[in-house]
């Protein structure tokens, strides 16, 4: 699993930069979460944990070959609500051409279909077979309510 984290915006600038694009936008960190390796001496019940590594990169193209899949946050990374952010379409298309699996993530309270309906009009091909997931908090909440509270009165705040 990877986490893409931008450095905090400069107080003088005060604006967010798109981490998918290349310079002049700021560099960002790639954190590779600890993975486990089974040791033959320890057996499969025990595992040896590796340390997290972090390195600075200029753009996703530097790590494109390292991962099979990418989770891309929708708002503020792919687009700003009105248009695709600089470098986002190129990055998205490059990942598709490289055969990477993509999941679009959003924290909206709307259902996934509604939350991602704007993406094609902004140039993102979400119908491509490599786009394997559209995940948003609204969809996950709806699924949970349907599965665990079906037929009950629920107030969603």
């Amino acid at each position: 699993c990877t986490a893409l984290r931008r450095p905090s915006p400069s107080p003088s600038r005060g604006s967010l930069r798109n981490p998918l694009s290349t310079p002049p936008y700021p560099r960002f960190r790639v954190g590779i979460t600890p993975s486990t390796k089974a040791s033959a001496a320890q057996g499969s019940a025990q595992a040896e944990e590796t340390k997290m590594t972090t390195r600075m990169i200029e753009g996703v193209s530097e790590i494109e070959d390292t991962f099979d899949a990418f989770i891309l946050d929708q708002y503020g990374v792919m687009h700003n609500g009105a248009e695709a952010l600089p470098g986002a379409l190129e990055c998205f298309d490059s990942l598709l051409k490289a055969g990477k699996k993509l999941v679009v993530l959003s924290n909206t309270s709307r259902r996934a279909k509604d939350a991602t309906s704007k993406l094609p009009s902004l140039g993102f091909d979400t119908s491509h077979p490599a786009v394997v997931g559209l995940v948003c908090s609204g969809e996950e909440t709806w699924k949970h309510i349907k599965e665990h509270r079906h037929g009950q009165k629920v107030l969603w705040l």
Side-chain angles (χ1 to χ4, degrees):
C1 177
T2 64
L4 302 179
R5 288 181 254 155
R6 280 187 298 265
S8 299
S10 153
S12 61
R13 289 177 146 153
S15 63
L16 292 176
R17 300 288 188 186
N18 183 0
L20 295 180
S21 56
T22 56
Y25 300 98
R27 296 169 10 149
F28 56 101
R29 288 182 210 92
V30 176
I32 302 172
T33 57
S35 61
T36 56
K37 292 189 234 175
S39 167
Q42 295 173 327
S44 61
Q46 295 178 338
E48 179 182 319
E49 192 171 303
T50 59
K51 293 184 179 184
M52 176 185 268
T53 59
T54 302
R55 68 181 171 120
M56 297 297 288
I57 63 171
E58 296 292 337
V60 173
S61 61
E62 287 185 42
I63 59 168
E64 186 175 290
D65 294 334
T66 307
F67 301 98
D68 299 318
F70 290 81
I71 300 172
L72 304 174
D73 189 43
Q74 185 177 200
Y75 190 82
V77 174
M78 294 174 69
H79 65 85
N80 64 8
E83 61 188 4
L85 292 173
L89 284 171
E90 294 83 358
C91 178
F92 190 87
D93 291 341
S94 175
L95 292 171
L96 290 178
K97 287 177 187 163
K100 305 301 177 179
K101 301 294 184 195
L102 303 180
V103 175
V104 177
L105 180 67
S106 176
N107 67 353
T108 184
S109 61
R110 295 183 293 157
R111 301 278 309 274
K113 182 180 175 185
D114 296 330
T116 57
S117 64
K118 185 181 237 180
L119 291 176
S121 69
L122 298 176
F124 297 99
D125 182 8
T126 56
S127 66
H128 192 284
V131 180
V132 296
L134 305 167
V135 180
C136 66
S137 57
E139 185 72 24
E140 294 306 310
T141 303
W142 182 87
K143 287 177 184 176
H144 180 81
I145 290 171
K146 183 179 178 188
E147 183 178 334
H148 299 286
R149 301 288 184 241
H150 186 70
Q152 298 176 13
K153 291 183 180 180
V154 177
L155 176 61
W156 181 358
L157 301 174

